[in-house]
Amino acid sequence: MIDEIVECFASVPEGVVVDATFGLGGHAVAILNAYPNLQILGLDQDADAIANAERLIAEDSSLQGRLTVRRVRFDSLDEVLEELSINEISGALFDLGVSSPQLDVAERGFSYRHEGPLDMRMDQRSQLSAAEVVNNYDESELSRLIADNADEKFARRIAKAIVAARPITTTTQLAEVIVAAIPAPARRTGGHPAKRTFQAIRIEVNKELEILERALQIAIDATKSGGRVAVLTYHSGENRIVKRVFSDSERDANESTHASPYVHESQSGVRRTRRVRAPKYPSSKEQTLNRRAKSARMRVIEKTLVEVGN
Ligand SMILES: C[S@@+](CC[C@H](N)C(=O)[O-])C[C@H]1O[C@@H](n2cnc3c(N)ncnc32)[C@H](O)[C@@H]1O
């Protein structure tokens, strides 16, 4: 959805757009190429993504001075803004989930297709890995997280099978245990039968849903008038959180008083956050080219400063 993302920042005021999930930098570079008045602050918690970004900057002089990167989890955005003395941003982009290199490199342990260690850490410095979740969580915790993080209806059976098969050391061994726990007729629909459980474990390892709300709120708070926050989600857990945070912001904008940064237009107020776009779905062309795009949803809100005379 690169064109939609680029277009979404066409109207934002000049300044810094935060790319909270830099990855390979595809979106960030497209935004920089399209809008000479914007700079990007790119965040990623993955050492490889940041090393790649630093290589990009070193090799392309047009990015120097316009692209700054930091290796942090995106809920530390407020600290990075403070460090860089950035008071307000022009917008932010969150392209959630894993990157292609994380999925494709077997040693990262994200993929049920390639044999690798049970890792799944986006941030290689963190303590919690998939091996810990798979081999040490109790059955009820496993069952709950598989159900909650991936809407997997066979969560209890899968959790039971995982506990019975411990110790599990590789991704493919885990995938086999999951597949065997799912009734044969259900294995034939809905993609690879281990996909949802791998997603659920990855979300637990990286605390993906726990930190999303705070990160979005920091971004919305820091966004200046006319700025936009855009989020690409890939599954229902993320989607629910983004919908809730955006609609809470919209409601706060309509209900709050002068004490809040969000004040309704009809009061003497100033700032108002509102949703400007319904979710977008990828084009059918993109769905054919990119399997991951199939489940993508794009949500955008814009923050406006409303001048009210006396
Ligand atoms: C889907 S990819 C982003 C792809 C990127 N938009 C591009 O054009 O290449 C997600 C990236 O965000 C990073 N990421 C995910 N959650 C994060 C978080 N909470 N904090 C920082 N980085 C995160 C991942 O490490 C991964 O590199």
Side-chain angles (χ1 to χ4, degrees):
M1 299 177 96
I2 202 146
D3 293 343
E4 288 88 343
I5 288 291
V6 169
E7 190 236 297
C8 144
F9 290 102
S11 63
V12 302
E14 66 175 24
V16 177
V17 169
V18 172
D19 182 347
T21 50
F22 188 82
L24 285 173
H27 286 119
V29 170
I31 291 169
L32 287 173
N33 286 340
Y35 310 117
N37 61 339
L38 295 179
Q39 295 107 50
I40 295 273
L41 168 58
L43 311 180
D44 208 297
Q45 57 185 335
D46 187 324
D48 298 345
I50 294 300
N52 179 60
E54 283 165 352
R55 238 184 342 264
L56 281 178
I57 297 170
E59 286 167 6
D60 183 347
S61 59
S62 74
L63 298 177
Q64 291 158 16
R66 295 188 66 210
L67 173 60
T68 305
V69 292
R70 286 290 182 274
R71 184 183 180 195
V72 290
R73 215 171 66 171
F74 55 48
D75 55 330
S76 302
L77 170 62
D78 47 356
E79 288 163 29
V80 180
L81 294 177
E82 196 176 329
E83 177 219 322
L84 296 171
S85 304
I86 299 173
N87 294 327
E88 284 192 312
I89 58 176
S90 303
L93 167 64
F94 292 78
D95 178 12
L96 299 172
V98 273
S99 65
S100 327
Q102 287 166 340
L103 274 179
D104 295 343
V105 175
E107 291 68 39
R108 300 297 304 268
F110 284 98
S111 170
Y112 42 81
R113 294 182 197 279
H114 312 300
E115 171 144 26
L118 283 175
D119 190 327
M120 302 196 197
R121 290 169 305 161
M122 289 182 189
D123 183 342
Q124 298 91 336
R125 299 166 298 193
S126 15
Q127 296 292 312
L128 185 64
S129 69
E132 168 75 16
V133 174
V134 167
N135 290 305
N136 293 331
Y137 277 29
D138 68 31
E139 191 178 319
S140 62
E141 273 179 298
L142 274 175
S143 171
R144 179 199 49 77
L145 79 89
I146 296 169
D148 288 357
N149 291 352
D151 297 327
E152 170 59 71
K153 58 178 179 217
F154 300 110
R156 282 168 70 173
R157 296 171 72 135
I158 294 169
K160 191 165 183 213
I162 289 175
V163 170
R166 288 170 175 177
I168 300 174
T169 54
T170 67
T171 49
T172 43
Q173 196 189 345
L174 175 62
E176 279 165 25
V177 172
I178 297 165
V179 172
I182 295 177
R187 284 182 220 154
R188 289 192 274 275
T189 55
H192 194 289
K195 184 175 157 195
R196 281 186 300 277
T197 302
F198 267 63
Q199 172 190 304
I201 295 170
R202 185 202 90 208
I203 288 171
E204 171 67 15
V205 167
N206 296 288
K207 304 293 175 210
E208 292 175 40
L209 300 181
E210 282 164 48
I211 63 171
L212 181 57
E213 176 166 346
R214 174 175 147 74
L216 289 173
Q217 267 157 0
I218 297 170
I220 293 169
D221 284 348
T223 296
K224 60 176 102 163
S225 179
R228 291 178 165 196
V229 177
V231 191
L232 286 171
T233 63
Y234 297 90
H235 60 81
S236 57
E238 294 169 341
N239 213 15
R240 276 194 290 269
I241 293 172
V242 180
K243 259 169 92 168
R244 193 183 65 236
V245 173
F246 280 15
S247 64
D248 285 354
S249 288
E250 213 173 359
R251 200 200 48 232
D252 289 350
N254 291 328
E255 287 176 359
S256 60
T257 65
H258 300 269
S260 162
Y262 307 116
V263 180
H264 188 269
E265 251 175 297
S266 63
Q267 301 171 337
S268 67
V270 242
R271 297 210 150 184
R272 182 170 186 250
T273 307
R274 63 187 162 94
R275 180 139 62 109
V276 292
R277 296 277 170 87
K280 282 208 167 181
Y281 302 89
S283 65
S284 52
K285 182 174 154 232
E286 180 154 15
Q287 287 183 23
T288 325
L289 293 173
N290 178 359
R291 266 186 301 127
R292 191 170 173 264
K294 219 172 212 160
S295 48
R297 305 278 180 279
M298 174 177 162
R299 289 198 147 76
V300 184
I301 59 168
E302 181 176 270
K303 192 163 167 184
T304 47
L305 173 66
V306 182
E307 300 289 348
V308 179
N310 286 325

